């Protein structure tokens, strides 16, 4: 059955690069799509070369990505430049050479990616870049199929997870061929392992924050307020806020904490009329900033800019600021029947500031849960 494109020409070109005496490294910015694609490429070339190492340039911190590596036995190691002397050939999947400073100075023989092509000329003798594909895992499924390789249980599950993640579970940038690949892989994948990965949403060390969240959760106007106090990283505010999005009937939540000398508020929700980006922009008038989208926003201020008399009662102080900002916004939106007038009522400078901050906040905020894009260098994302 002609399930996929026939890639015999590409495969022949790829095979021509494989020499039995050479060691390969597949470099990735580890996320589910990259991990699965690297596993597939390793499977395709491993019997024809001396060795194939999968090396990641980033730290892996997301629990689902850690679960994927653990349950699917992905042999990924941390990339060290000293490894270079033992490697003769480099391949890159789910990325392009200019995406990451760690890739600079390496000569890639193979580049397989689905990110947009840029003007940067790619010198790799074998390159396959298809921005119209939802994931590289889809492309690699086609390669396996064309090569007559039936994906084993763990590889098939990895590719399925790669497709799921990059298409936000078939909701974003998903094409027919991504769906077809997923369907094909489901014959070989392991649904139980997939569920174990999907359910690995939290790290054990995050649990005390949840217990704090349940203790401090209280209504704030029509939304909810959570105070976590001092946190190691503001990322935990995002994790907790995303959790509360799953609570039926909860309109929006503001999860607050203090991290690195700053009071940070993470907003989630806003599926009704409330524009959380607009609320976030007014939380810390004169002492901090905020912004974001309608359903995800962030506000923050340096602790030193909080009036001295409020520093000991921060939880209540921040609550009052959010309550005031949200109620003000709600009344403005109610008065203008849906908010069009409300946004024009904001002063010009406030609005301009909000837009600038919204961009920064939006990018920062888009990473959690089934996350969107993230800077390629630092962390593993779900993209
Ligand atoms: Mn990808």
């Amino acid at each position: 059955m002609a399930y996929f494109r026939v890639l015999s020409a590409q495969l022949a070109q790829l095979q021509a690069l494989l020499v039995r005496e050479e060691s390969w490294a597949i470099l990735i910015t580890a996320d589910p799509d990259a991990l699965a694609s690297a596993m597939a490429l390793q499977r395709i070339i491993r019997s024809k070369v001396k060795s194939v190492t999968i090396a990641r340039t980033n730290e892996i911190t997301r629990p689902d990505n850690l679960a994927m590596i653990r349950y699917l036995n992905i042999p990924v190691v941390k990339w060290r430049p000293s490894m270079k002397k033992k490697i003769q050939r480099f391949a890159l999947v789910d990325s392009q050479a200019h995406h990451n400073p760690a890739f600079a100075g390496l000569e890639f023989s193979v580049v397989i990616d689905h990110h947009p092509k840029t003007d940067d000329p790619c010198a790799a003798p074998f390159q396959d870049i298809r921005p119209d594909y939802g994931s590289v895992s889809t492309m690699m499924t086609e390669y396996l199929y064309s090569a007559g390789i039936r994906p084993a249980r763990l590889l098939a599950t990895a590719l399925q997870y790669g497709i799921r993640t990059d298409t936000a579970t078939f909701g974003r940038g998903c094409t027919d061929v991504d769906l077809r690949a997923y369907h094909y892989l489901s014959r070989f994948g392991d649904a139980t392992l997939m569920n174990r990965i999907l359910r690995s949403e939290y790290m054990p060390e995050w649990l005390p924050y949840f217990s704090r969240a349940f203790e401090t959760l209280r209504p704030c106007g029509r939304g909810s307020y959570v105070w976590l106090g001092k946190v190691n990283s503001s990322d935990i505010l995002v994790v907790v806020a995303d959790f509360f999005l799953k609570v039926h009937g909860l309109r929006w939540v503001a999860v607050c904490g203090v991290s690195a000398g700053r009071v940070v508020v993470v907003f989630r929700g806003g599926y009704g009329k409330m524009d959380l980006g607009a609320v976030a922009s007014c939380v810390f008038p004169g002492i901090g900033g905020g912004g974001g989208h309608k359903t995800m926003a962030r506000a923050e201020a340096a602790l030193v800019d909080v009036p001295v008399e409020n520093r000991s009662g921060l939880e209540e102080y921040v609550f009052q600021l959010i309550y005031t900002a949200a109620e003000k916004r709600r009344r403005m939106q109610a008065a203008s029947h849906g908010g069009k007038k409300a946004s024009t009522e904001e002063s010009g400078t406030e609005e301009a500031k909000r837009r600038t901050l919204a961009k920064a906040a939006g990018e920062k905020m888009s990473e959690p849960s089934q996350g969107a894009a993230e800077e390629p260098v630092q962390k593993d994302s779900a993209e």
Side-chain angles (χ1 to χ4, degrees), residues 33 94 114-115 135-136 166 383:
D33 188 33
D94 197 29
H114 69 135
H115 292 93
S135 73
V136 177
D166 267 27
E383 175 99 328

Side-chain angles (χ1 to χ4, degrees), residues 231 233-239 241 253-260 262-268 275-284 288-301 322 353-354 357-368:
V231 295
S233 151
S234 60
D235 290 351
I236 193 67
L237 305 177
V238 174
V239 171
V253 65
V255 178
C256 318
V258 177
S259 164
R262 300 182 70 78
V263 190
V264 182
V265 183
V266 169
F267 288 93
R268 283 290 187 277
D275 180 348
L276 294 174
V279 175
S281 69
C282 321
V283 169
F284 295 115
H293 304 286
K294 193 179 171 212
T295 58
M296 44 169 67
R298 182 184 184 111
E300 51 182 282
I322 292 171
K353 206 164 87 187
R354 178 165 100 74
L357 283 159
K359 200 169 169 267
E363 278 158 12
K364 253 186 213 165
M365 308 266 66
S366 58
E367 143 242 345

Side-chain angles (χ1 to χ4, degrees), residues 31-32 62 64-65 165-166 367-372 380-383:
D31 70 13
R62 290 179 54 102
D64 57 336
N65 294 2
T165 307
D166 267 27
E367 143 242 345
S369 67
Q370 280 284 305
D380 52 323
S381 80
E383 175 99 328

